[in-house]
């Protein structure tokens, strides 16, 4: 499967029409329409009828579309959620490999019914409980549809661990480590984040979001997400390599090629030791930079088209 | 297993008669009479004979009473400890699930012989070897009697050849594993944030409060205290603060209103917070925990009152 660019994204209740209808204007890399915690029990059935409309709205902005289903109702949710245009089904509070295998079977059937190319709809397994952390490896390896993985942090996890959320130290350090190890051992994209102290828990803090995104980029991490529109641009910018970083990577690779031609494996550039690991890091950064540019172009095209269409209908 | 409130477990050497006599006065949720490290081998037989009488003394303030034993001497320790009034044992030295199964079988036998309801005695496992930490899942799920698990940090240091240092927590991974595995298996994680586990000699009251709260926010739900000065900070840190109760009650009220209107994402007035299912759930859990703590505190206060009147 192609590498996904998911620097920024918003999760929103699929049954709140004004959010869904404006979602394409947010310039997110992905939109995650929710069936789960932000949808009241009485609206669950109605929510399942709203996916086609949400896809159309979201795609106007060039975003990838994902649907977060309920862990309690996969049998009812999956046939409603898997429509052409949906890239990924997110499964919250994943706790066992059997849940993933069951979800995989449901998606396989839905792909068949909808005429979607078999095996292309991904699974996002969200670890949000201690049992999920304990079973990380089994969960992440349960389906080839799982392409990315991270350890459990956040609100549900803090509740299951009995800890407060914003205490000024990282209560989730073990979970992050476990998630990163499992992702790397299985060759999945690690979508976790570094820890930055946050004592307010303001989900719309663009300054802190930017800081975190930059710290993640410097640590080689590529993924973001969010609940508030203020988080989108700081992540789009903060997770994209800067022109200086791109230039430095190009210089490094040119130098490494010279070394290679001379039959050497290690040298020094600007006081830094350059070897195959540094070269691999630079190669990844350049690839990532190209993918970011492609995604930005795709979003800009889609949004220009949507604006033109909107102007036409208004005229 | 019944939900219990066991924020503080006060460890008292069964050898020290003055300490045992005063053990009920410190307001601990549980008192642990130690037959293990603090009792020299030569004295163990004599100290064992005093356990039966020590149990009701330790319980006078409403505490649950445990005896700390070790796998190697388990049979003699258990035979001396299993009497009506005992809540369970704190077990050191377990490194496999089979170690726990063996203790559980001995407990069943003694329950039968001594007129104690079957299956009621609990086991708190204190892991003290690399093998034990590695096998934590099979150890804590080996028996439904296992209610809690923690690290014996001092012995783990000895076992792993670690020289304890206050600036450096050698057990970041081990503690994370204990917290995750125990909560995943619905057992209570017992422990302290560094350095309180390895350096419990702390004179500063505020520092004790801070470390107890930090332990709670690391994910531990109770602490094993080697000194009575830790009991109050631990009870306090593990009890939801009463200032937040109104906030949680209001959260539940607003969420119920929102649900009635057909929405499950409700802004909390005057904050950036959104109330959704997990936020409401946390409010529910916290209020329920507060009530259980309040009930436990009332029961202890009543027992203490009775004991003081009697003496």
């Amino acid at each position: 499967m192609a590498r996904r660019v998911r620097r920024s994204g918003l999760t929103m209740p699929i049954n709140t029409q004004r959010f869904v209808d404006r979602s394409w204007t947010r310039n997110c890399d992905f939109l995650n329409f929710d069936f789960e915690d932000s949808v009241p029990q009485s609206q669950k059935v109605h929510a399942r009828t709203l996916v086609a409309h949400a896809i159309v709205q979201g795609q106007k902005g060039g975003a990838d579309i994902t649907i977060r289903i309920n862990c309690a109702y996969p049998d009812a949710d999956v046939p409603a959620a898997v429509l052409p245009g949906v890239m990924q089904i997110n499964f919250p509070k994943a706790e066992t490999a059997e849940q993933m295998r069951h979800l995989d079977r449901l998606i396989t059937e839905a792909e068949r019914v909808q005429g979607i190319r078999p095996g292309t709809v991904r699974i996002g397994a969200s670890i949000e409980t201690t049992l999920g952390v304990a079973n990380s490896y089994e969960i992440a390896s349960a389906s080839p549809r799982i392409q990315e993985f991270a350890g459990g942090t956040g609100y549900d996890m803090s509740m299951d661990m009995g800890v407060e959320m914003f205490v000024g130290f990282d209560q989730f350090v073990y979970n992050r480590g476990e998630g990163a190890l499992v992702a790397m051992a299985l060759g999945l994209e690690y979508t976790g984040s570094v820890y930055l102290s946050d004592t307010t828990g303001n989900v719309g803090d663009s300054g802190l979001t930017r800081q975190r995104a930059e710290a993640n980029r410097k640590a080689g991490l590529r993924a973001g997400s969010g609940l508030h529109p203020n988080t989108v641009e700081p992540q789009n910018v903060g997770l994209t390599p800067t022109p200086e970083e791109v230039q430095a990577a190009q210089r490094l690779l040119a130098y490494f090629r010279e070394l290679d031609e001379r039959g050497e494996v290690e040298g020094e550039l600007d006081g830094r030791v350059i070897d195959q690991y540094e070269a691999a890091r630079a190669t990844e950064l350049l690839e990532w930079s190209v993918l970011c540019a492609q995604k930005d172009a795709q979003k800009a095209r889609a949004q220009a088209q949507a604006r033109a269409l909107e102007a036409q209908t208004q005229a | 297993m019944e939900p219990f409130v066991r924020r503080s477990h006060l460890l008292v050497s069964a050898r020290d008669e003055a300490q045992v006599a005063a053990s009920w006065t410190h307001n601990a949720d549980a008192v642990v009479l130690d037959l293990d490290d603090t009792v020299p081998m030569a004295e163990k037989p004599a100290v064992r004979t005093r356990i039966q009488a020590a149990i009701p003394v330790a319980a006078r303030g409403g505490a649950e009473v445990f005896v700390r034993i070790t796998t190697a001497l388990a049979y003699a320790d258990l035979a001396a400890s299993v009497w009506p009034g005992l809540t369970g044992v704190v077990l050191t030295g377990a490194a496999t699930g089979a170690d726990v199964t063996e203790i559980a079988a001995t407990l069943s036998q003694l329950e039968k012989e001594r007129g104690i309801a079957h299956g009621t005695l609990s086991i708190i496992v204190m892991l003290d070897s690399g093998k034990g930490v590695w096998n934590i899942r099979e150890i804590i799920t080996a028996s439904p009697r296992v209610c809690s698990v923690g690290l014996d940090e001092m012995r783990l240091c000895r076992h792993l050849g670690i020289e304890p240092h206050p600036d450096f927590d050698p057990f970041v991974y081990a503690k994370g594993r204990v917290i995750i595995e125990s909560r995943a298996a619905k057992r209570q994680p017992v422990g302290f944030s560094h350095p309180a586990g390895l350096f419990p000699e702390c004179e500063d009251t505020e520092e004790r409060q801070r470390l107890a709260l930090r332990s709670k926010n690391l994910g531990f739900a109770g602490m094993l205290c080697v000194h009575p000065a830790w009991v109050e900070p631990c009870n306090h840190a593990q009890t939801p603060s009463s200032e937040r109760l109104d906030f949680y009650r209001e959260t539940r009220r607003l969420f119920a209103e929102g649900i009635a209107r057909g929405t499950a994402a409700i802004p909390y007035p005057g904050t950036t917070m959104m109330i959704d299912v997990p936020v409401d759930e946390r409010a529910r859990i916290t209020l329920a925990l507060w009530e259980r703590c309040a009930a436990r505190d009332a029961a202890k206060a009543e027992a203490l009152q009775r004991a003081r009147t009697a003496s």
Side-chain angles (χ1 to χ4, degrees):
Chain A
M1 282 187 198
R3 191 169 176 196
R4 210 185 133 190
V5 177
R6 42 155 302 179
R7 294 162 297 183
S8 59
L10 292 172
T11 297
M12 62 185 70
I14 197 167
N15 65 327
T16 306
Q17 200 187 342
R18 67 179 195 284
F19 290 173
V20 173
D21 287 351
R22 300 305 289 162
S23 63
W24 67 273
T25 65
R26 305 298 185 190
N27 199 30
C28 300
D29 286 352
F30 73 93
L31 287 163
N32 184 29
F33 296 113
D34 189 21
F35 281 7
E36 200 220 7
D37 276 351
S38 62
V39 176
Q41 202 58 39
S42 62
Q43 302 273 307
K44 299 281 186 199
V45 173
H46 176 57
R48 293 184 193 119
T49 65
L50 303 173
V51 176
H53 176 75
I55 294 170
V56 171
Q57 291 304 315
Q59 283 185 338
K60 286 197 216 164
D64 296 333
I65 309 298
T66 69
I67 308 284
R68 179 167 77 170
I69 64 168
N70 296 281
C71 55
Y73 320 119
D75 295 69
D77 285 348
V78 169
V82 175
L83 298 184
V86 169
M87 166 183 264
Q88 177 164 301
I89 299 299
N90 290 323
F91 190 90
K93 301 179 187 70
E95 294 194 316
T96 66
E98 183 44 40
Q99 286 176 326
M100 297 302 105
R101 288 191 288 267
H102 182 60
L103 180 59
D104 188 303
R105 288 192 291 271
L106 291 172
I107 293 175
T108 301
E109 174 61 11
E111 283 173 337
R112 197 183 64 75
V113 170
Q114 295 292 335
I116 298 168
R117 191 170 168 204
T120 54
V121 175
R122 304 178 188 217
I123 292 175
S126 301
I127 302 299
E128 300 180 87
T129 64
T130 52
L131 186 56
V133 177
N135 291 333
S136 282
Y137 189 89
E138 290 81 354
I139 292 168
S141 55
S143 164
R145 298 179 189 274
I146 299 174
Q147 294 287 307
E148 51 186 40
F149 197 70
T153 62
Y155 203 89
D156 287 288
M157 180 59 76
S158 74
M159 200 155 60
D160 197 27
M161 289 174 66
V163 303
E164 296 293 325
M165 266 300 271
F166 308 107
V167 293
F169 67 92
D170 188 6
Q171 325 92 306
F172 308 123
V173 58
Y174 176 88
N175 313 5
R176 284 181 213 275
E178 192 72 5
L181 282 177
V182 165
M184 286 166 206
L186 292 169
L188 310 177
E189 182 93 15
Y190 174 57
T191 51
S193 168
V194 299
Y195 169 75
L196 274 196
S197 177
D198 170 5
T199 49
T200 67
N202 180 350
V203 294
D205 185 335
S206 54
L208 186 67
T209 305
R210 175 72 183 259
Q211 271 184 359
R212 188 183 291 118
E214 302 215 329
N216 278 332
R217 186 187 82 235
K218 285 170 189 161
L221 304 182
R222 305 302 188 207
S225 63
L227 296 169
H228 194 285
N230 285 356
T231 62
V232 175
E233 274 321 297
Q235 295 188 94
N236 286 343
V237 176
L239 287 167
T240 305
T242 63
E244 294 77 28
E245 286 170 338
V246 170
Q247 270 172 24
Q250 284 164 343
R251 263 191 80 216
L252 191 154
L253 283 177
Y255 175 73
F256 188 72
R257 272 193 298 275
E258 278 173 36
L259 280 180
D260 196 42
E261 277 159 24
R262 293 206 300 270
E264 292 169 37
V265 294
E266 201 180 287
E268 212 181 292
L269 180 68
D270 304 333
R272 232 170 97 200
V273 174
I274 305 300
D275 56 15
Q276 57 168 324
Y277 302 104
E278 289 292 313
R281 217 196 305 274
T283 304
E284 191 276 341
L285 185 130
L286 291 180
E287 280 168 11
W288 174 246
S289 164
V290 169
L291 289 170
C292 290
Q294 284 171 355
K295 184 77 192 169
D296 288 335
Q298 178 214 333
K299 290 195 298 184
R301 243 184 351 258
Q303 286 164 32
Q305 254 174 34
R307 292 222 157 77
L309 205 68
E310 208 172 56
Q312 242 175 40
T313 34
Q314 272 163 11
Chain B
M1 193 157 301
E2 288 294 299
F4 52 81
V5 176
R6 220 173 277 149
R7 298 159 291 189
S8 52
H9 309 65
L10 175 64
L11 188 72
V12 170
S13 176
R15 178 200 194 201
D16 186 329
E17 290 177 82
Q19 266 193 39
V20 171
S23 61
W24 60 278
T25 62
H26 303 294
N27 199 30
D29 287 338
V31 170
V32 182
L33 302 167
D34 186 29
L35 275 178
D36 187 19
D37 266 0
T38 61
V39 185
M41 196 58 83
E43 290 184 40
K44 283 189 200 273
V47 174
R48 284 190 189 114
T49 63
R50 302 204 298 262
I51 294 288
Q52 188 177 8
I55 291 170
V57 174
R60 288 181 75 190
E64 296 177 296
V65 181
F66 288 78
V67 176
R68 185 166 80 164
I69 64 162
T70 189
T71 44
L73 302 169
Y75 190 77
D77 286 347
L78 287 174
S81 306
V82 175
W83 300 106
L86 189 77
T87 299
V89 295
V90 174
L91 177 67
T92 64
T96 65
D99 290 340
V100 171
T101 312
E102 197 183 333
I103 300 295
T106 310
L107 286 173
S108 294
Q109 187 59 36
L110 287 165
E111 281 170 343
K112 200 156 104 186
E113 288 169 16
R114 299 193 181 168
I116 297 168
H118 179 67
T120 51
L121 290 171
S122 298
I123 302 174
I124 298 175
V125 178
M126 296 302 283
L127 301 169
D128 51 9
S129 64
K131 189 174 175 185
V133 173
W134 184 251
N135 288 335
I136 180 168
R137 195 178 299 186
E138 64 166 67
I139 288 172
I140 63 179
T141 55
S143 164
R145 293 181 189 272
V146 177
C147 58
S148 310
V149 60
L151 299 178
D152 187 323
E153 293 189 49
M154 212 53 216
R155 293 221 282 218
L156 199 51
C157 275
R158 258 179 266 145
H159 186 258
L160 300 175
I162 292 167
E163 190 73 45
H165 191 286
D167 293 344
F168 165 69
D169 182 358
F171 300 128
V172 173
Y173 176 86
K175 286 178 189 175
R177 194 172 162 94
V178 165
I179 290 160
I180 290 298
E181 291 288 335
S182 60
R183 294 220 181 234
K186 306 283 178 233
R187 266 66 172 183
Q188 179 194 38
V190 171
F192 272 113
S193 174
H194 193 71
L198 288 167
F199 299 90
E201 314 77 7
C202 171
E203 298 299 322
D204 182 346
T205 315
E206 268 177 39
E207 182 65 2
R208 281 197 300 265
Q209 300 274 7
R210 192 187 71 80
L211 281 167
L213 192 60
R214 206 181 147 92
S215 307
K216 189 255 171 198
N217 279 323
L218 203 62
F220 289 120
M223 293 82 155
L224 184 68
C225 310
V226 295
H227 192 280
W230 280 100
V231 170
E232 279 308 333
C234 292
N235 288 347
H236 185 256
Q238 295 290 359
T239 307
S241 101
S242 44
E243 295 143 40
R244 301 276 288 165
L245 296 178
D246 287 341
F247 168 80
Y248 285 124
R249 290 192 184 111
E250 184 64 6
T251 299
R252 296 228 67 194
R253 195 186 64 75
L254 290 166
F255 188 72
E257 264 182 27
I259 291 295
R261 287 198 313 271
T263 169
I266 300 106
Y268 195 101
T271 70
T272 57
M273 203 181 95
M274 272 295 195
I275 309 169
D276 60 4
V277 171
V279 174
D280 178 62
E281 180 64 5
R282 174 183 293 245
R284 188 187 67 75
I285 291 172
T286 311
L287 290 169
L289 177 61
W290 185 84
E291 273 173 24
R292 286 195 287 122
C293 290
R296 186 81 183 94
D297 287 334
K300 284 197 300 180
E302 202 188 313
L304 205 62
Q305 185 64 37
R306 268 202 311 273
R308 291 237 153 88
T309 318
S311 58

